[in-house]
Amino acid sequence: MSPVKKRIFLIIALFVFFSGSVLLVNYIGLHILSVVRAYINGEGAYSKGQKNAVFYLHRYTLSHQESNFQEYRRQIAIPLGNQQARLALEKPQPDLEAARRGFIRAQIPAGEMDGMIRLYPYFHLLAETRQALEIWARGDTLINEVARDAQLLHSRITSGQYSQQEINQTMNEIGRLNGQLTQMQDEFSWTMHQAARRVQRMLFNFMAVFISSLLVLCGYIAARALKYIQESEEKYRILFEESHHGLFIASADGTITDLNPTGMRLLGFRDPTEIQSVTIFRLFAQQDEQSVELRQQLERAHQVTDWEAEIILHDGTRHAMMLNATVQYDTKGRITAYRGSIRDITERKRALATLKEQNAELKKINTELDNYVYRASHDLRAPLSSLLGLINITNAESHEEIRKQYLDLMLKSVSKLDRLIQNIINHSKNARVEVVPQPINFREMIADVLDDLHYMEGSKEVEKQISIEEEGIFYSDEFRVRIIFSNILSNAIRFRNPLILSCIRITIHTSISGATIRFEDNGLGIAPEYIDKIFDMFYRASVNSTGSGLGLYIVNEVITSLGGSIKVDSQVRQGTSFTVELPIMAPEPTHNSYSLKNLPA
């Protein structure tokens, strides 16, 4: 082996050794920090399970419903699973399978379990992690007390042998334990964070020494490698010509003097003579602004890194590019050349823009979902609470006429609950059931909907006028069209004007392109400031409204899924009109049609 090859081999071997060492140390350090974060995240799940368990236990003491106690058991299983894992790992011969089962109960992600189990024995070597384990053990003791008290409560309540004072005393004790657990969890998290910081400091000190040694060695190798610079010139030219990045060299005034084949292709040049008068400062779509900015940054920092700009190609098209460049100076500090690379990032920018749009949409959907769950649960509970109260006072009432009044109020609460549940079902079906075109018989559908609303309060007091003009068969999704009619007509009845003769007029006109459906009433109307909000989820234009606030939101969602549109016009105390435009759909093959009776509830 020649001396040159020996030196090259030595340089490569040393580089590989040090690079591998750095990678190994970084891997170990990142693994340790990852496991510490996993334990911190596990503490978060532990804390959430504990608090949720106490919450459902409290609900159980109020409602005595077994479902609340079962939910308490599911939540308390999280901290108890952590306890199971800890006890299994504390054994002289750790039971790894038992620890894994415990972490599964604690809802620890599968990808984090192995690291947490593997690193647990070493936690006793570090003061901070050893303290965290002690806090964990004390917390498990308190969790056991909570579980014991909860089981005692359950036994007394199910047997009926309890007093409210005993329940209150037990819940006060559980509340005290809950407070102590919260404080311990904060101490655990803080201690683990301290451990993470200590590990980071140790890694930093090690890397500082290691890198310093590496820099000294690199200086030595660099001094020995200077004699081979001339030999690398030809290699540089090969790399320049064959690089997958556009590489350029420009003179002091920015005129491109050398551009590799990739750069020629990226900038749209075919002949090297075409670049003779091209400067790097005149490639930008926003020449004045971006040229000045690039010059200033190069003069100030002597380089630009990952600088993004829109560049005009030779054929006039525009592409997003990423520029990296450095400035070359002579001994007197004057600029002699610019060297750099360009990379087309047009597709990446488009992908990022698409990703941002999707992320914004996901955030919107998540916000709507959170609001939906909160409001739906609130609106479900309100009529149930009212119903429970009415049942209690009805049981205590002996007067038959008053009992009948209470029963009427119960019926209203149940009806309100039924409407809300039906709205939720309709919303769910609209979101997950495919649109299936079917021939729509408007007369039959309107008759069915009005029949369903016949016993609705005030329905008999409203005159219904129907006008239908059909040009051929209109195809659409029968289930969704029925939702439109049901919600709009029920709103018209609910918000009728009790001081006048109420009337609802339904006008339908179909053609070969679609259907126009108009609903008009002479009811209470909607104030102008509320018009733009009536299609929002859970929006009620009046505090006196007894509806769920979902009806018109679902109508709008249904119409959107059918590719239609809806307009509203209203005047207070004069009435409201809704105009729905629905496109006609191509009929589905017979074997793909479905019946509303077969839809999932």
Side-chain angles (χ1 to χ4, degrees), residues 459-506:
S459 176
K460 298 177 182 179
E461 303 169 9
V462 179
E463 179 184 354
K464 290 87 173 178
Q465 300 177 4
I466 302 169
S467 174
I468 302 175
E469 295 181 10
E470 295 180 292
E471 299 177 9
I473 300 176
F474 176 73
Y475 285 88
S476 189
D477 187 295
E478 180 182 353
F479 161 67
R480 288 174 169 83
V481 175
R482 183 182 293 271
I483 289 176
I484 297 172
F485 277 85
S486 179
N487 280 284
I488 293 181
L489 290 176
S490 65
N491 273 1
I493 295 171
R494 186 176 297 114
F495 298 106
R496 68 194 181 282
N497 189 341
L499 302 179
I500 62 174
L501 178 63
S502 299
C503 176
I504 300 173
R505 184 179 299 107
I506 306 170

Side-chain angles (χ1 to χ4, degrees), residues 37 84 88 111 113 128 286 422 520 524 588:
R37 282 194 296 271
Q84 175 186 340
M113 289 184 193
E128 290 84 351
Q286 301 174 3
Q422 186 59 49
E520 300 174 89
L524 297 176
E588 281 279 307

Side-chain angles (χ1 to χ4, degrees), residues 495-523:
F495 298 106
R496 68 194 181 282
N497 189 341
L499 302 179
I500 62 174
L501 178 63
S502 299
C503 176
I504 300 173
R505 184 179 299 107
I506 306 170
T507 306
I508 301 173
H509 177 75
T510 66
S511 64
I512 59 173
S513 60
T516 301
I517 307 169
R518 185 173 177 84
F519 302 87
E520 300 174 89
D521 66 59
N522 61 349

Side-chain angles (χ1 to χ4, degrees), residues 395-565:
N395 288 334
E397 179 60 52
S398 59
H399 197 281
E400 186 63 28
E401 186 64 29
I402 296 179
R403 288 172 64 90
K404 183 178 180 182
Q405 293 176 7
Y406 288 156
L407 289 174
D408 289 340
L409 292 175
M410 291 182 200
L411 178 60
K412 290 182 180 179
S413 292
V414 172
S415 298
K416 181 178 180 181
L417 184 61
D418 179 66
R419 288 196 302 271
L420 175 61
I421 293 174
Q422 186 59 49
N423 279 333
I424 293 174
I425 292 173
N426 288 341
H427 179 262
S428 175
K429 288 181 180 178
N430 180 60
R432 60 191 172 91
V433 176
E434 292 184 1
V435 174
V436 178
Q438 295 173 297
I440 303 298
N441 187 329
F442 283 107
R443 295 185 186 278
E444 182 178 319
M445 179 181 291
I446 293 172
D448 288 346
V449 171
L450 291 178
D451 187 58
D452 290 342
L453 300 176
H454 181 70
Y455 295 101
M456 181 177 177
E457 182 180 356
S459 176
K460 298 177 182 179
E461 303 169 9
V462 179
E463 179 184 354
K464 290 87 173 178
Q465 300 177 4
I466 302 169
S467 174
I468 302 175
E469 295 181 10
E470 295 180 292
E471 299 177 9
I473 300 176
F474 176 73
Y475 285 88
S476 189
D477 187 295
E478 180 182 353
F479 161 67
R480 288 174 169 83
V481 175
R482 183 182 293 271
I483 289 176
I484 297 172
F485 277 85
S486 179
N487 280 284
I488 293 181
L489 290 176
S490 65
N491 273 1
I493 295 171
R494 186 176 297 114
F495 298 106
R496 68 194 181 282
N497 189 341
L499 302 179
I500 62 174
L501 178 63
S502 299
C503 176
I504 300 173
R505 184 179 299 107
I506 306 170
T507 306
I508 301 173
H509 177 75
T510 66
S511 64
I512 59 173
S513 60
T516 301
I517 307 169
R518 185 173 177 84
F519 302 87
E520 300 174 89
D521 66 59
N522 61 349
L524 297 176
I526 306 169
E529 61 268 24
Y530 301 137
I531 291 291
D532 293 337
K533 302 177 182 178
I534 60 174
F535 295 113
D536 292 347
M537 182 185 289
F538 294 111
Y539 183 76
R540 299 182 177 98
S542 170
V543 294
N544 297 321
S545 172
T546 59
S548 65
L550 281 174
L552 290 180
Y553 169 79
I554 295 173
V555 167
N556 191 47
E557 291 290 306
V558 165
I559 292 173
T560 300
S561 69
L562 294 176
S565 63

Side-chain angles (χ1 to χ4, degrees), residues 335-399:
I335 296 176
T336 59
Y338 298 97
R339 302 175 186 271
S341 66
I342 52 175
R343 184 158 53 97
D344 194 326
I345 58 171
T346 304
E347 292 303 320
R348 192 183 80 175
K349 296 281 283 186
R350 289 173 182 167
L352 285 174
T354 302
L355 186 61
K356 287 181 180 179
E357 291 176 1
Q358 293 173 343
N359 188 48
E361 182 65 21
L362 285 174
K363 288 182 179 178
K364 177 185 175 183
I365 292 173
N366 189 53
T367 300
E368 289 182 351
L369 180 60
D370 287 344
N371 188 40
Y372 183 84
V373 171
Y374 171 76
R375 294 296 299 272
S377 61
H378 178 272
D379 286 352
L380 283 169
R381 181 169 176 77
L384 285 175
S385 299
S386 176
L387 186 61
L388 289 173
L390 288 168
I391 290 173
N392 288 333
I393 61 176
T394 301
N395 288 334
E397 179 60 52
S398 59
H399 197 281

